[in-house]
């Protein structure tokens, strides 16, 4: 099979065939890691969290519904239904964009405050329990906002999607989480520019920089 | 857990002096690493990626010859690999398993691209490859590249893996899920096609 002298010429020339450059390792890893974070966020929560998630979702639903109801009443007649967490409806719910925007801004403010404090607490690692409880609550609200038919703005949607990943990671922190686990989340925050995007999205001066999670 | 087969990549390889460092992955702690990934350890995922990405990217790039597509296919291979890691039975080395996924992703991508190109250009207008186009180009490397591009997918994959990247027939067989004899036969046919395409070089 290897007797033909042309084979050797071909093999020698073939080494130049599509000679690979250095792999763009970091760029590829960012894409892989992003998909993996999405995978983890999509994974069903462990059973022990179900009561928490349910209670947090219910509380958030009531709070947002009441808030939107109040906001809607003053501007429209008859009052628009609270549509922020509308289920499947063939009639096509009416969307109060102002109410949605206000609810989103409030949520992003709270998220920014929370993440600021979380980032500061990464080194001490003393408040996982509080952090994960708050993250679960914010996560429930985040999902309601993402599911709302009013969530049309691409920029806001992308921000909420990325925020969901971060909150999901913090929500899954265990009390015995290592410093490395917390550091990974903090790195994710930095890489995605989450804090600056949140600050751009919410009015200035509303975020505490000290306090408890 | 079934007993692991001999790691086919563990022996030293003889490579040409102008070869890029292939960074052959050594799956020393595959089992431990897989366990940590399956337990949700994100750092273990990074370790696994670091251990195998160069090898996977090299192979994919050799097959597609384009950085952006090689990047896409490599990413996709790792994403699928992580998602399906629980199905990895340890019958082959982890690196072989990842390369198998990468080859599958790449071939599917190339087929899809070919279909798109055919739809856009039309078969009769598609640029010819292999023996027809080589006569206009006197450069051996260019003509060889064109001839390799013109090989059927199966021949080309085996030729690239064996003659370009230095895999053994056993490694190729394990990666492609065929018998070593099939790999040898495909390489024989691939070389025959290339000899035919470059026959005038032999005459010169």
């Amino acid at each position: 099979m290897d007797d033909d002298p042309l084979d050797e010429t071909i093999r020698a020339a073939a080494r130049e065939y599509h000679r690979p450059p250095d792999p763009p390792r970091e760029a590829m890893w960012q894409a892989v890691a992003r998909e993996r974070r999405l995978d983890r966020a999509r994974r069903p929560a462990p059973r022990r969290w179900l009561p928490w998630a349910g209670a947090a979702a219910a509380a958030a639903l009531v709070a947002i519904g009441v808030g939107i109801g109040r906001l809607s009443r003053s501007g429209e007649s008859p009052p628009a239904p609270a549509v922020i967490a509308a289920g499947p409806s063939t009639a096509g719910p009416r969307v109060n964009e102002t109410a949605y925007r206000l609810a989103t801004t409030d949520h992003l403010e709270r998220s920014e405050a929370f993440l600021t404090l979380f980032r500061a607490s990464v080194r001490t690692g003393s408040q996982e329990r509080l952090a994960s409880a708050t993250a679960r609550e914010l996560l429930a609200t985040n999902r309601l906002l993402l599911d709302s038919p009013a969530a049309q703005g691409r920029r806001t949607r992308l921000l909420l999607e990325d925020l969901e990943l971060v909150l999901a990671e913090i929500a899954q922190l265990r009390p015995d989480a290592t410093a490395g686990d917390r550091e990974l989340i903090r790195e994710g925050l930095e890489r995605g520019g989450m804090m600056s995007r949140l600050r751009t999205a919410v009015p200035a001066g509303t975020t505490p920089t000290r306090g408890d999670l | 857990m079934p007993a692991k087969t001999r790691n086919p990549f563990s022996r030293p390889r003889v490579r040409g002096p102008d070869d890029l460092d292939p960074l052959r992955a050594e799956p020393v702690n595959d089992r431990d690493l897989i366990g940590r990934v399956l337990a949700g350890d994100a750092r273990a995922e990074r370790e696994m990626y670091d251990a195998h990405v160069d090898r996977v990217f090299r192979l994919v790039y050799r097959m597609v010859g384009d950085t952006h597509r090689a990047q896409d296919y490599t990413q996709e291979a790792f994403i699928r690999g992580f998602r399906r890691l629980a199905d990895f039975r340890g019958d082959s080395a982890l690196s072989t398993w990842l390369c198998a996924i990468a080859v599958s992703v790449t071939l599917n991508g190339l087929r899809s691209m070919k279909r798109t190109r055919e739809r856009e250009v039309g078969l009769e207008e598609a640029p010819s490859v292999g023996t027809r186009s080589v006569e206009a180009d006197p450069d051996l490397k260019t003509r060889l590249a064109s001839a390799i591009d013109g090989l059927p997918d199966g021949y080309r994959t085996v030729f690239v893996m064996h003659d370009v990247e230095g895999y053994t027939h056993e490694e190729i067989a394990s990666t492609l899920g065929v018998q070593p004899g099939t790999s040898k036969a495909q390489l024989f046919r691939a070389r025959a096609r290339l000899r035919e395409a470059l026959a005038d070089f032999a005459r010169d």
Side-chain angles (χ1 to χ4, degrees):
Chain A
M1 190 188 308
D2 293 338
D3 291 339
D4 193 323
L6 187 56
D7 276 344
E8 189 45 50
T9 310
I10 289 173
R11 267 200 300 276
R15 291 195 192 107
E16 295 300 318
Y17 177 72
H18 293 168
R19 181 181 273 271
D22 280 342
R25 296 182 191 88
E26 276 309 309
M28 290 192 292
W29 171 249
Q30 293 306 323
V32 172
R34 179 181 162 78
E35 278 300 314
R36 293 299 292 155
R37 284 199 296 271
L38 279 168
D39 286 348
R40 280 191 281 271
R42 287 183 199 121
R43 203 180 297 159
R47 180 171 290 277
R48 62 193 166 86
W49 287 356
L50 288 177
W52 278 98
L61 179 64
V62 169
I64 291 174
V66 168
I68 289 173
R70 285 179 183 166
L71 287 165
S72 314
R73 200 180 305 145
S74 59
E76 294 184 24
S77 182
V83 295
I84 201 76
S89 165
T90 52
R94 292 177 64 186
V95 174
N96 186 328
E97 290 178 0
T98 306
Y100 178 81
R101 198 164 54 243
L102 287 169
T104 305
T105 303
D106 177 63
H107 170 66
L108 294 178
E109 279 174 8
R110 292 177 60 213
S111 299
E112 188 204 352
F114 167 68
L115 291 177
T116 302
L117 296 171
F118 173 79
R119 199 168 56 163
S121 76
V122 161
R123 285 191 184 82
T124 63
S126 57
Q127 304 189 71
E128 267 83 12
R129 232 179 261 279
L130 279 171
S132 57
T134 310
R136 283 196 292 274
E137 186 192 330
L138 289 169
L139 190 58
T141 307
N142 201 76
R143 285 176 177 157
L144 288 169
L145 290 169
L146 269 173
D147 288 343
S148 166
Q152 300 294 329
R154 184 173 175 276
R155 197 168 160 187
T156 304
R157 173 166 281 282
L158 280 175
L159 179 58
L160 289 171
E161 284 174 358
D162 289 347
L163 182 58
E164 176 169 329
L165 299 182
V166 175
L167 292 173
E169 284 179 332
I170 300 173
Q172 291 176 23
L173 269 183
R174 296 175 184 174
D176 58 350
T178 64
D181 292 335
R182 294 191 299 272
E183 187 60 25
L184 272 175
I185 298 175
R186 193 194 62 76
E187 282 175 12
L189 275 172
E190 304 296 339
R191 267 199 309 273
M194 175 61 68
M195 299 310 294
S196 58
R197 289 164 67 196
L198 281 171
R199 286 184 191 119
T200 307
V202 299
T206 55
T207 305
T209 52
R210 296 173 64 84
D212 291 330
L213 290 166
Chain B
M1 184 133 180
K4 288 189 81 168
T5 54
R6 183 186 67 82
N7 165 20
F9 299 127
S10 59
R11 57 179 173 62
R13 305 175 141 269
V14 178
R15 302 186 64 78
D18 62 341
D19 272 326
L20 293 175
D21 177 11
L23 291 176
R24 294 281 172 184
E26 296 293 341
V28 176
N29 289 315
D30 275 0
R31 195 178 299 181
D32 172 57
L33 197 55
I34 290 167
R36 286 164 53 210
V37 171
L38 290 176
D41 183 343
R43 275 172 301 170
E45 287 187 1
R46 179 68 201 242
E47 281 178 44
M48 185 178 290
Y49 170 84
D50 284 340
H52 299 284
V53 65
D54 285 27
R55 177 183 172 82
V56 171
F57 180 82
R58 266 185 80 87
L59 178 58
V60 172
Y61 189 91
R62 290 283 197 188
M63 291 173 72
V64 301
D66 175 89
T67 303
H68 290 300
R69 275 190 288 140
Q71 186 172 335
D72 285 348
Y73 297 158
T74 303
Q75 287 166 195
E76 183 62 25
F78 274 96
I79 290 165
R80 287 193 196 184
F82 284 132
R83 285 178 184 158
R84 289 165 46 188
L85 192 59
D87 300 331
F88 175 65
R89 294 171 301 169
D91 295 339
S92 62
L94 181 60
S95 56
T96 306
W97 185 73
L98 283 169
C99 282
I101 295 173
V103 168
S104 168
V105 167
T106 304
L107 290 177
N108 283 334
L110 290 173
R111 283 184 204 114
S112 169
M113 200 179 65
K114 192 175 171 186
R115 280 196 298 272
T116 306
R117 192 180 294 162
E118 283 173 358
R119 272 200 301 273
E120 286 172 358
V121 180
L123 267 173
E124 69 286 356
E125 297 172 31
S128 58
V129 290
T131 57
R132 297 292 170 259
S133 64
V134 296
E135 288 172 16
D137 193 324
D139 179 69
L140 171 63
K141 286 175 189 169
T142 308
R143 290 181 50 176
L144 178 65
S146 180
I148 297 171
D149 286 343
L151 290 173
D153 283 344
Y155 295 1
R156 196 165 69 90
T157 304
V158 170
F159 179 81
V160 164
M161 291 183 81
H162 189 279
D163 278 8
V164 181
E165 278 294 286
Y167 287 67
T168 65
H169 286 296
E170 286 71 26
E171 290 166 354
I172 296 169
S174 185
T175 301
L176 302 182
V178 297
Q179 293 296 319
T182 306
S183 171
K184 288 177 187 171
Q186 293 205 324
L187 180 65
F188 179 81
R189 290 175 197 135
R191 285 177 177 168
R193 293 258 187 124
L194 296 177
R195 274 198 300 271
E196 188 184 334
L198 303 172
D200 52 333
F201 271 92
R203 283 195 294 274
D204 294 343

